[in-house]
Structures are given as C-alpha cells and as structure tokens.
Amino acid sequence: MASQKEKPLSANAAASQHSFQVILMAIILMLVSSCLAPSASAVEQEAEALLNWKASLDNTSLSLLSSWVGNSTCNWDGIGCNNIRSITHVNLTGSGLRGTLHSFSFSSFPSLLSLNLSHNSISGTIPSEIGFLKSLQILDLSENNLNGSIPHEVGLLGNLTILSLHNNELSGNIPLEICMLNSLSVIHIEKNNLTGSIPESIGNLSNLNVLDLGENNFSGSIPSSIGNLTKLKELYLMGNQLTGTIPNEVGKLKFLTRLGLVNNRLNGSLPSELSNLKFLKHLVLSGNNLSGNIPPDLCSGGLLEMFTAHNNQLTGLMPTSLRNCNSLVRLRLERNQLTGNINEEFGIYPKLAYVDLSYNRFYGELSENWGECQNLQSLKLSNNRISGRVPQFEGSIQLHILDLSSNNLTGTIPRQLGRLTSLFNLNLGDNKLSGSVPPEIGMLTNLQQLNLAANDFNGPIPEQLDGCRELLNLNLSKNKFSESIPLQMGSMQTLQVLDLSQNSLMREIPPQLGQLVKLEALNLSHNELSGLVPYTFDNMLSLTVIDLSFNHLEGPLPNNKAFLEASAVAFENNTGLCGNATGLNACPPETRGGKKGSKSVIFIIVFVLAILFFAFVVFGILWVRCYSQEAQNENQFAVWSYDGRLEYEDIIEATEEFNSKYCVGVGGNASVYKAELQTGRIVAVKKLHIVQDSGVANFKAFESEVRTLSEIRHRNILKLYGFCSHPQHPLLVYDFIEGGSLENILTDENHAIKFGWIERVNVVKDVANALSYMHHDCSPAILHRDISSKNILLDLEYGAYVSDFGTAKLLKADTSNWTSFAGTFGYSAPELAYTMETNEKCDVYSFGVVALEVIMGKHPGDLISYFLSLSLTSTAQPIQLKDVLDPRLSPPGNHVVEKVVTVLNLAFACLRTNPQSRPTMQQISNELLF
Ligand SMILES: *[C@@H]1O[C@H](CO)[C@@H](O)[C@H](O)[C@H]1NC(C)=O
Ligand SMILES: *[C@@H]1O[C@H](CO)[C@@H](O)[C@H](O)[C@H]1NC(C)=O
Ligand SMILES: *[C@@H]1O[C@H](CO)[C@@H](O)[C@H](O)[C@H]1NC(C)=O
C-alpha cells in the first residue's frame, strides 16, 4: 500500500524538478565539451557506442549493418567522419531498423552534425539525452513508430537547422524550448498526434523556411506572431482543429509560395493582406468556415496555380484579378455562396485543368471562351443558376468531365460535343434542354457516364448511342423521349445502370436488352411499353434492381432473381403481369411463349419449369445468404468506379502531387503511394514508370486490358478501382491491403513464424483460385505474366490477393540481357528465354515457384533444377519432406501434412520444362479442393 501511495508523489516531484534537469543537462554538456580533441579512445568509444546500439536492435533488421564490425567506424555503411576521424554523420534512412533509441549513447558523439534514421521501424520514445548532440544541425527521425512527447532537451540543440519528426506517433505539446532554436530553417512535425496550441513564441524562429504542423490535433488560434517568420516559404497547418481567423500578419510573409490551411475550423474572412504575397503558388483553404469576400488581388504576383476554398461560406463576386490569372491550374470554389455573372467573372486560362464552381449562385450564360482553355480536363458548374445554351467547347479537347447539371440551360445539345472524345462523364441533367439528342453523342467512345435526365428532350432515343462502348451509367429519365427503345442498346455491353423511366417510350421491350449481362439496375417505369417481358431477361445475372411499373406490360415475369425478389411496387399498374413474385397473380400455364401444343408437352414443360423454379429459389436463397454482404460492396464499387478519372484529381490532392511522404514502396517499374481520399477510403496508387519506346500500340492494349480488369471481382484478386492513362506514368488505383506482400512476410523472421502451415496452404489455394479464374472463367483469358511473391498481397488474416494482372506486358525488365522479356527473374518459365510468346503455362510455372517458396519459406533458387533432375532419374534419392519445409516452423501435424505434400507435388508438376506437361490452373485449383 505504502508504495502505491508514493507513486503520484514521485511523479509530482519529477514534474517540479523538470527545469532543474534542463539546467543540469546544460552543465553536463559544458563539462563534456571541455574535452574536445578526440583521442584514440574517443574513436573507440564511438565505435563501442554504435555497436552497443546495433546489439540492442532486433536482429532480423541488421542486414544493412553488416559492415559494422571492428573499430574503423569511418568505413562503416551510413557513417561519415571529419578529418580527425570523429563521426559527423549517421545516415541510416530506410535501413529496415527495428528497435528503440534507448541504448543509443548520445553523449558519445560530440561532433555529430547530422543524424538521419528516417524510414525505419524505430519505436519507443525520443530519449532526453538527445540534448547531448550539441553540434547537431540535422535531426531526421521521420517515418518511424516513435511515441511519447518531443523532449524539451531538443531545445539544447542550438545549431539545429532541420528538425524532421513527421509520420510518427508523437503526442503532447510542442516544447517551448524549440522556439528558441533560432537557426532552424525547416520544421516537419506533421502527421503525429500532437496537441495544444501553436506557441506564440514560434515567431522567434526568424530563419524558418518551411513549417509543417499538418495532421495533428493542434487547437486554438493561429498566433499573429507567425507574421515574424518573414523568410517562410511554405506554411502547412492543415488537418488540425484550429479556430479563430487567419491573422492579417500572414500578409507579411512576402516569400510565401504555399499556404495550406485546409480542414480546420477557421472562420472570419480571408485577410486582404493575402494580396501582398507575390510569390504565392498554392493557396488551399477548403473545409473551414471562412466567410466574406475573396480578396481582390490574390493573383497579384501572377504565379497562383492552385486556389482551393471549397466547403466554406464565401460570398460575393469573384475578384477581377482571378479573371486574368493566366497561371491558374486548379480552381475549386464549390459549395460556397459566391455569385456574379459567370460570363463576366471568368477569363481564358491556358493552363487551367480543373475547375469546380458547383453549388454556388453564379448566373448568366456560358461563354464560348471556355473552349479556349486547351488544358481543361474537368469543368463542374452544377447547381448554379446558369442560363443560355451549352457552349461547343471547341478547343477543350482534353475535357474528361463536363458537369453542367441543375442549372437553367436551354436550347439543344450542340452536335460539336461529339468531338470531345476524351469525355468520360457528361452530365447535363436537370436543366431545360430540349429538341432531339444529336446522334453525334454516339461518337463519345470513352464516355462512362451520361446523364440527360430531367430535361425536355423529345424524339427517339438515338440508336447511335451504342457507339458509347464504355458507358456504365445511362440516365435518360424524366424527358419526353418517344418511339421504341432502340434494339441497338442491347450491344452496350458495359452498361451497369440504365434509367429510361418517365418518358413516352412505346411498343415492346426489345429482347436484345437481355444481352446486357452486366446491368445491375434497370428502370423502365412510367412509359407506354406493352407486350411481354422478353425471355432473354433470364440471362441478366447481374441485375439486382428492376422497375417496370406504370406501363402496359403483360404475361409472365422472367426467371431472374431480380424479378423474383422485387417488391410488388416494381410491377404495379401494368396490364397483366403474372408470376410468382410477391403481389402478382400466378400465370396460366400456357401464357409463356403463347405456343399451342399437346397437353402432355405442356404438362412436361410445366413440370420442368416447376423443378427449375424450385432449384432457382433454393439457389436464390443460398445466393442471398452468401452474397448479400458482397452485393453491398459491389454496389459501392459501382458508384466508385463511375468516377474513374475524377479521382485522379483527388489522388493528386491526397498525395500532394506524389509527395514522397506518401510513398510506401518503390520498385524498378513503379512507385506505390498510400492515399486517403476525401471519402475516407484508403487506396494504393501505383504510378508506373513506362519505358520511353514501349510504344503506343502496347499502351492501348494495356489500357483495354485494364478496363477489363477493373470490372473483375474475385475474392483473391486485388480490386482495381480505376486508372488514369497518362502516357508516361499511368496510375493504377487499387484497394489498400494492410498486411504486405508475401515476400515481405516470408523474409521477416517474426512474421514468418506466425505464418503457419494451414495459412500457407490456404494462400497457395487462394492464388490458384485467382489464376484459375483469370485463365478459365474470363473470355478472353487474362494472363498475369509476372507472378512472384512480390505481387501477392496478404491481409491481416492471411487472405491472399494477386495484384498487377497484365501490368508486366507494358513494362520491360531493366536487365540488359532480357530486353523484351516481361516477368521477374527466378519466376519466369524457361521457354521465355527463347520465345516471346507467353501463354497460360508461363503463369503456371511461376505459380509453381511461388508455391514452393511458400512451403520452403524462401525462393527455391537453384534447387528448382535439382528437383527437376530428381524427378527424371529414377535411381536418385526421393526428396525428403524435411529438406523442403521451412525450418522456422515446427513440422506440420498429421492433419496438415497431407495438404502440404499435395501442394509440393503440384508445385513440382508446374515446374516441368515442357509447358504442355504442366497442369492447368483449373486442374490445380480442383486438386486443392481438399
Ligand atoms: C514579432 O515582431 C515584433 C515587431 O517586429 C515584435 O515586437 C514581437 O515581439 C515579435 N514577436 C515574437 C513572438 O517574436
Ligand atoms: C460558421 O460561421 C457562422 C458565422 O459566419 C456561424 O454562424 C456558424 O456557427 C459557424 N459554423 C461552425 C460549424 O463553426
Ligand atoms: C424508377 O424511376 C421512377 C421515376 O423516375 C422513380 O420514381 C422510381 O423510384 C425508380 N425506381 C427505382 C427502383 O429506383
């Protein structure tokens, strides 16, 4: 009991002694510095200190420190010395180090100028002894797992110029002592859990160039002393809980190029002093509660490229300076209360790529000048009060997204829009447009979204719409379209959502619509359609939502789960629909098909139908039970992929134009970034580096394959959300998988031990299922071409996801011997050495290597040929199971050993030299159905 009582007491004492400790530390420092000249023993002391620290680190992480033996520290990797052999630099960035700093003897390095341990897995706190590094100029501990608070003793590092602690788990306040470090020029402490307010005394740091406090939990207001940081070029305070106004003193930061205040709780108006910032390039203020007018002269230096202030309460007119701001690239002011005549407020912007002014109060007519913005990719003006006609956008040949919905536009759609072949989202819905839809819309071959709903369009739906071969979502509802539904629509095979409701469409539904096998939602309600619902609808297996109400339809419903499960509302107000759906009358037996025949034939048909129906209901129930979860996700996926390229902008924003701090991996062919989109979804963005001469044809083939891939949904294939077809670095956007690659898990001792036999067998099964699906259930078959343990990702439950299907086709390996060879050395089939022709059997071979690797715990290497020779010569010793099992695991128990042996036998079969004698992925996947 007594000791329990003492604890709070001693904690209090420690707190009150804190300033005393700092003084003590300073005295110790003075004593240490009195013995400056390094003797032989000082050199030895440094070596010993480093070796002690090395010994304290997790020994799986030391492969890069293998040169750290003996005494010659100056020759060790990552170490730099001055001319008297004292250590001045320690640079171990990205060395895979795992451990803490607690055994690092800071006092042993009086000459250290730079300590860079960034991009490792160092955990624990930053020891207060860091204050001993009195010569230190650069301290970079960013991208680790450090926690606890920033020690006050950092304030003793009087020569510090760069302090970089970002991307850790640091908490607590900014120690005031830091604000005394007058030499500091760069502070990066973003992406931690720091709290408290930004200290007023930050204004002392008069040499600061960069200050990044973003994505912490700072509160309070921005101190006006920030105006004393007159050398500041970049100021980022985004993603905190800052309140109050933007201080006018910001206007004193005359060299500022980037100001980022997004996602705080700032209010008040934008200080007019912002006009003093002649070097300003990026001004990003969105997601606050800012009000008042936009200052008159934001573009006074003529350099402003990005101005975003969406989701605020800004009012008034656009300032005239923005009208003439030629440098603008991105302008986002959506969801404010801005007003003014859109024709007068905007000029011609040669560089402008992205404009979003939706949800404001702009009025007036759209000028043809928009067509002179040659780099325009997105123009979003929805939910304003814009009137007049739709311009022709003559020169805007890069336009991807044109959203003019929910305005007061009149007139017809100009035929010239058919020339905008880059368009993938055209939304003119909810206006007062009229006339017939020009057939030229069918020339928009990349269009994915077409929304013309809620206008006054009339005449027939143009049959040429089937030229939009990529269309996913077509909404023509709430117009006056008449005549029949064009049968050509049946060839729009990519359609997922088709809404033709509330028109005057008549006659029968064309049976060709049944070919829309990817259609998920079909709304034909409120038309004049008559006759039977076509039989062919039985085949629309993706359909989940259907509405046929308010027509003149009759006869039986198709045998299709969407119809069977729909509520009665979906069929109400028709002439005579019948069937087993809720609320409908049963059909008289001979209705379907209307054919007459002998009674016995009818009886047999009815009997067969009844059995089929029963099977269907059972299947349907199973389907619903197994897949209701999945269906929900798919739905989300659908909405998401609609915006395909739209996310490119979000990705640019989420990764701050591919800032290296979001980079989670770099390979020979691509860099991978982790991006959290505004929706909160976390995605992996793969930026491919394309070899210059890989050719346009190649790229086109790749592009079409990627499109196919983005529609594929398989449990064990990494979900591809979308891609952007920039010719030099196309982006692929995938689901972000938390666990890491199979390769990483197998090479990491700690992980590998936890990765047991059952999990390993399951991973092999998962990969086999994914490949079998792509080879045998897709038409045409899709090859991976680069299966290796790098491309297989595991989630936290060891579920496997195969990634990068088809990507290898586009990329050339950089090894000079293999110029036209796709794939990873050590995984590719031997025949690829003399033939360019890849087929399924090449994937099978690579799969065999991976399967062996999973069981052995490492790449089989030269053993592959050894195994092959064994299987050929009958005199050889049979392979002993224990020779190939990962020695880090205890041998598999009785119930698993059989499965492991099956995997090994299959793997050997896959490695056969003759491609024809390798099994197919389908056979393998079946063999693994234990
Ligand atoms: C900022 O500068 C002003 C005048 O130059 C000075 O009075 C004030 O003390 C400074 N504030 C800080 C926190 O350095
Ligand atoms: C935003 O500012 C307005 C006044 O301009 C105020 O009425 C409102 O409460 C503020 N909203 C938030 C969320 O702070
Ligand atoms: C189909 O469209 C009508 C009218 O446009 C709408 O009222 C109805 O909710 C839609 N049905 C479904 C299932 O979405």
Side-chain angles (χ1 to χ4, degrees):
M1 282 309 280
S3 71
Q4 271 178 359
K5 270 183 186 168
E6 260 169 35
K7 266 181 194 161
L9 246 178
S10 63
N12 276 343
S16 70
Q17 281 172 9
H18 173 74
S19 49
F20 172 69
Q21 276 181 3
V22 175
I23 295 169
L24 194 65
M25 183 80 70
I27 294 172
I28 294 172
L29 264 180
M30 281 165 64
L31 290 177
V32 171
S33 59
S34 61
C35 39
L36 252 181
S39 55
S41 74
V43 172
E44 274 164 28
Q45 199 191 343
E46 287 183 342
E48 199 188 328
L50 285 178
L51 290 177
N52 277 342
W53 181 56
K54 175 183 172 184
S56 81
L57 296 174
D58 190 319
N59 60 8
T60 59
S61 67
L62 296 178
S63 52
L64 283 154
L65 298 188
S66 54
S67 64
W68 284 28
V69 284
N71 251 340
S72 334
T73 45
C74 301
N75 298 329
W76 293 359
D77 286 340
I79 302 297
C81 294
N82 60 13
N83 52 10
I84 50 169
R85 293 175 50 228
S86 279
I87 296 181
T88 52
H89 292 81
V90 174
N91 181 356
L92 297 171
T93 182
S95 301
L97 304 179
R98 206 176 278 273
T100 70
L101 293 173
H102 296 165
S103 308
F104 195 96
S105 170
F106 291 94
S107 60
S108 306
F109 304 96
S111 310
L112 198 62
L113 301 176
S114 163
L115 176 61
N116 182 350
L117 304 176
S118 62
H119 291 270
N120 284 296
S121 302
I122 298 173
S123 52
T125 55
I126 304 177
S128 54
E129 289 79 10
I130 198 137
F132 282 122
L133 300 174
K134 62 181 181 54
S135 308
L136 202 66
Q137 295 171 359
I138 299 176
L139 176 61
D140 189 349
L141 304 177
S142 60
E143 311 255 4
N144 279 293
N145 306 324
L146 293 165
N147 55 31
S149 51
I150 304 176
H152 295 264
E153 288 76 3
V154 168
L156 296 170
L157 308 176
N159 295 318
L160 207 60
T161 59
I162 297 180
L163 175 63
S164 194
L165 304 175
H166 63 86
N167 292 68
N168 277 292
E169 290 147 25
L170 297 168
S171 52
N173 296 353
I174 301 183
L176 294 180
E177 288 82 352
I178 288 185
C179 300
M180 303 300 146
L181 298 175
N182 194 256
S183 340
L184 270 177
S185 79
V186 174
I187 297 183
H188 273 294
I189 54 177
E190 71 271 19
K191 304 208 171 172
N192 280 291
N193 303 320
L194 297 168
T195 50
S197 54
I198 304 175
E200 180 74 29
S201 55
I202 201 136
N204 292 333
L205 299 175
S206 55
N207 285 307
L208 219 48
N209 281 313
V210 177
L211 176 60
D212 193 342
L213 310 180
E215 318 224 5
N216 280 290
N217 291 314
F218 290 118
S219 52
S221 55
I222 304 175
S224 57
S225 64
I226 208 112
N228 288 21
L229 307 177
T230 49
K231 294 188 182 162
L232 213 53
K233 292 185 179 144
E234 300 179 17
L235 174 60
Y236 304 104
L237 305 175
M238 39 246 260
N240 282 293
Q241 279 129 46
L242 298 172
T243 49
T245 58
I246 304 176
N248 297 346
E249 286 78 4
V250 166
K252 294 193 199 159
L253 309 177
K254 12 178 218 303
F255 297 110
L256 207 61
T257 61
R258 288 164 191 245
L259 176 59
L261 303 176
V262 291
N263 296 342
N264 278 291
R265 298 181 191 157
L266 299 170
N267 58 27
S269 53
L270 306 186
S272 58
E273 287 82 357
L274 285 174
S275 307
N276 302 342
L277 308 180
K278 304 273 190 251
F279 293 100
L280 203 57
K281 278 188 168 172
H282 289 192
L283 177 60
V284 293
L285 309 173
S286 45
N288 280 292
N289 193 16
L290 298 166
S291 53
N293 293 354
I294 300 176
D297 228 358
L298 277 186
C299 192
S300 60
L303 297 175
L304 192 64
E305 290 172 0
M306 194 194 292
F307 176 36
T308 69
H310 48 284
N311 295 74
N312 278 295
Q313 317 277 346
L314 298 174
T315 50
L317 301 176
M318 288 281 293
T320 45
S321 77
L322 282 179
R323 186 186 159 98
N324 300 318
C325 191
N326 286 335
S327 51
L328 267 186
V329 178
R330 290 170 65 77
L331 179 65
R332 293 190 61 176
L333 297 172
E334 72 267 23
R335 293 180 195 271
N336 280 289
Q337 287 131 44
L338 296 166
T339 182
N341 187 327
I342 194 115
N343 194 7
E344 287 158 14
E345 308 292 338
F346 293 90
I348 296 169
Y349 307 94
K351 296 184 184 157
L352 196 60
Y354 189 99
V355 188
D356 193 343
L357 305 172
S358 320
Y359 295 91
N360 277 292
R361 295 169 188 168
F362 290 110
Y363 57 87
E365 302 190 357
L366 289 174
S367 115
E368 285 294 344
N369 284 348
W370 286 105
E372 291 177 45
C373 300
Q374 290 171 6
N375 285 303
L376 198 58
Q377 294 183 4
S378 293
L379 178 61
K380 305 195 215 173
L381 303 175
S382 77
N383 288 277
N384 279 288
R385 295 157 190 180
I386 300 167
S387 54
R389 302 180 147 253
V390 177
Q392 298 179 9
F393 293 100
E394 185 136 19
S396 307
I397 44 168
Q398 304 205 33
L399 207 54
H400 289 335
I401 300 177
L402 178 60
D403 184 354
L404 307 178
S405 61
S406 298
N407 279 293
N408 300 323
L409 294 168
T410 50
T412 55
I413 299 180
R415 290 171 188 280
Q416 290 82 350
L417 284 196
R419 289 204 301 242
L420 302 177
T421 49
S422 300
L423 267 184
F424 75 91
N425 183 347
L426 176 59
N427 190 346
L428 302 175
D430 191 19
N431 276 290
K432 300 195 171 77
L433 298 167
S434 56
S436 54
V437 171
E440 285 82 356
I441 294 295
M443 289 156 61
L444 299 175
T445 48
N446 286 306
L447 207 59
Q448 293 183 4
Q449 311 279 322
L450 177 59
N451 185 351
L452 305 178
N455 279 291
D456 288 322
F457 291 116
N458 55 32
I461 296 173
E463 57 192 45
Q464 291 86 347
L465 274 188
D466 69 347
C468 303
R469 285 169 206 289
E470 305 288 343
L471 207 58
L472 302 174
N473 187 342
L474 176 59
N475 189 349
L476 303 178
S477 67
K478 304 189 181 106
N479 279 291
K480 297 184 180 123
F481 287 112
S482 54
E483 311 285 326
S484 24
I485 300 173
L487 52 91
Q488 288 83 352
M489 282 190 131
S491 66
M492 301 174 75
Q493 301 274 320
T494 50
L495 268 186
Q496 294 175 355
V497 178
L498 177 58
D499 191 348
L500 305 178
S501 65
Q502 284 201 43
N503 279 291
S504 308
L505 298 166
M506 28 188 174
R507 293 191 273 274
E508 298 197 347
I509 302 172
Q512 286 83 351
L513 285 194
Q515 296 162 12
L516 301 177
V517 289
K518 290 187 181 147
L519 202 65
E520 292 169 9
L522 175 64
N523 195 343
L524 302 176
S525 71
H526 296 270
N527 278 291
E528 312 287 333
L529 298 164
S530 55
L532 302 175
V533 181
Y535 272 103
T536 52
F537 278 27
D538 291 8
N539 304 329
M540 299 169 82
L541 293 180
S542 304
L543 206 58
T544 48
V545 179
I546 175 88
D547 194 343
L548 302 179
S549 60
F550 294 89
N551 278 291
H552 312 296
L553 298 165
E554 58 190 320
L557 293 182
N559 259 334
N560 178 305
K561 103 180 137 72
F563 286 84
L564 291 171
E565 286 165 11
S567 77
V569 188
F571 309 116
E572 68 184 350
N573 278 284
N574 273 290
T575 311
L577 285 174
C578 62
N580 285 312
T582 31
L584 287 189
N585 296 327
C587 299
E590 75 277 20
T591 332
R592 190 156 188 170
K595 296 253 159 66
K596 288 176 195 128
S598 77
K599 273 186 183 166
S600 60
V601 171
I602 291 174
F603 177 75
I604 288 167
I605 290 173
V606 169
F607 185 66
V608 169
L609 282 178
I611 287 176
L612 276 180
F613 177 69
F614 181 70
F616 211 91
V617 169
V618 170
F619 178 69
I621 289 170
L622 288 176
W623 176 277
V624 171
R625 286 179 57 167
C626 301
Y627 291 97
S628 59
Q629 176 79 30
E630 208 152 288
Q632 211 177 341
N633 293 343
E634 280 177 18
N635 210 20
Q636 216 177 349
F637 170 92
V639 172
W640 227 67
S641 69
Y642 289 166
D643 286 348
R645 271 170 252 199
L646 179 139
E647 275 139 32
Y648 181 67
E649 299 301 333
D650 295 344
I651 285 159
I652 295 283
E653 215 148 277
T655 60
E656 294 174 37
E657 299 186 33
F658 301 107
N659 191 312
S660 58
K661 64 186 172 190
Y662 297 98
C663 190
V664 291
V666 183
N669 294 322
S671 309
V672 184
Y673 298 81
K674 180 178 176 182
E676 184 174 350
L677 303 179
Q678 282 182 343
T679 56
R681 186 189 285 272
I682 296 178
V683 294
V685 180
K686 188 160 212 166
K687 188 173 164 202
L688 302 175
H689 315 310
I690 302 291
V691 181
Q692 222 29 273
D693 61 354
S694 60
V696 176
N698 205 352
F699 187 73
K700 284 253 165 2
F702 170 73
E703 184 167 351
S704 73
E705 193 160 306
V706 163
R707 273 172 206 272
T708 321
L709 286 167
S710 65
E711 285 159 31
I712 280 169
R713 294 150 209 183
H714 186 280
R715 203 158 57 89
N716 302 115
I717 295 172
L718 185 63
K719 212 178 262 176
L720 174 65
Y721 282 119
F723 97 114
C724 158
S725 61
H726 189 290
Q728 253 68 51
H729 19 254
L731 304 181
L732 295 163
V733 182
Y734 293 103
D735 231 357
F736 188 81
I737 302 292
E738 220 32 86
S741 73
L742 178 61
E743 185 193 36
N744 287 346
I745 284 167
L746 288 176
T747 52
D748 179 326
E749 207 80 18
N750 286 340
H751 265 113
I753 291 171
K754 291 183 214 136
F755 185 23
W757 292 115
I758 297 181
E759 289 83 7
R760 292 187 189 209
V761 168
N762 284 337
V763 163
V764 173
K765 252 195 233 186
D766 283 354
V767 175
N769 288 343
L771 285 168
S772 170
Y773 177 81
M774 297 298 260
H775 288 180
H776 302 285
D777 299 328
C778 294
S779 173
I782 296 177
L783 305 187
H784 189 291
R785 300 187 180 86
D786 190 17
I787 287 283
S788 78
S789 55
K790 283 192 181 69
N791 286 329
I792 295 163
L793 305 180
L794 303 186
D795 64 20
L796 298 176
E797 277 89 46
Y798 298 108
Y801 300 81
V802 182
S803 75
D804 279 350
F805 264 96
T807 322
K809 185 155 74 172
L810 190 68
L811 304 165
K812 293 181 176 183
D814 37 13
T815 344
S816 53
N817 293 356
W818 304 89
T819 47
S820 53
F821 156 89
T824 300
F825 189 70
Y827 292 89
S828 45
E831 66 270 20
L832 283 173
Y834 51 84
T835 166
M836 278 284 301
E837 199 187 332
T838 49
N839 57 34
E840 284 91 336
K841 292 300 173 71
C842 304
D843 279 354
V844 171
Y845 181 93
S846 311
F847 167 81
V849 180
V850 169
L852 262 185
E853 186 176 353
V854 170
I855 301 300
M856 295 177 69
K858 58 171 197 235
H859 187 278
D862 295 340
L863 284 176
I864 293 181
S865 44
Y866 173 68
F867 290 141
L868 289 177
S869 68
L870 286 180
S871 55
L872 289 176
T873 53
S874 51
T875 51
Q877 289 276 319
I879 302 161
Q880 294 280 310
L881 187 58
K882 68 175 170 44
D883 296 339
V884 290
L885 295 181
D886 187 343
R888 295 170 294 187
L889 296 189
S890 44
N894 280 340
H895 56 298
V896 205
V897 69
E898 201 181 321
K899 299 177 179 182
V900 172
V901 170
T902 311
V903 169
L904 283 170
N905 283 334
L906 285 171
F908 292 140
C910 294
L911 296 175
R912 287 176 189 145
T913 320
N914 178 5
Q916 268 87 51
S917 58
R918 293 174 203 151
T920 67
M921 283 317 304
Q922 198 160 39
Q923 286 162 342
I924 295 167
S925 152
N926 288 339
E927 290 279 326
L928 289 172
L929 288 175
F930 304 111

